[in-house]
Amino acid sequence: MQLRSSKVNEFRLWGLLLTMGGMLLMIVGLAGIVFDWGQAGRIAAVIFMLIGAVSMLGSMGIYFFAG
């Protein structure tokens, strides 16, 4: 017997994964500034912060849709 979760729980799982992934990407981006990697660190920080923010917005959209 295979247990199946509801579609809402699957949406919530993807929302949670996007939230955690976005926060992790933002923390990795912050390392470029904290450890003072120079100009390349600042560029990496901007890129990772933007990708993390888009991921967080995507999770917000999923939660809005599922809720």
Side-chain angles (χ1 to χ4, degrees), residues 11-58:
F11 280 125
R12 290 175 63 203
L13 171 69
W14 282 107
L16 180 64
L17 289 175
L18 280 174
T19 301
M20 294 299 148
M23 289 178 11
L24 180 68
L25 282 172
M26 288 182 183
I27 290 170
V28 168
L30 185 64
I33 296 172
V34 171
F35 295 128
D36 194 26
W37 292 340
Q39 188 66 24
R42 289 188 181 133
I43 293 171
V46 168
I47 291 171
F48 280 110
M49 292 283 189
L50 286 175
I51 294 172
V54 167
S55 175
M56 296 285 284
L57 287 172

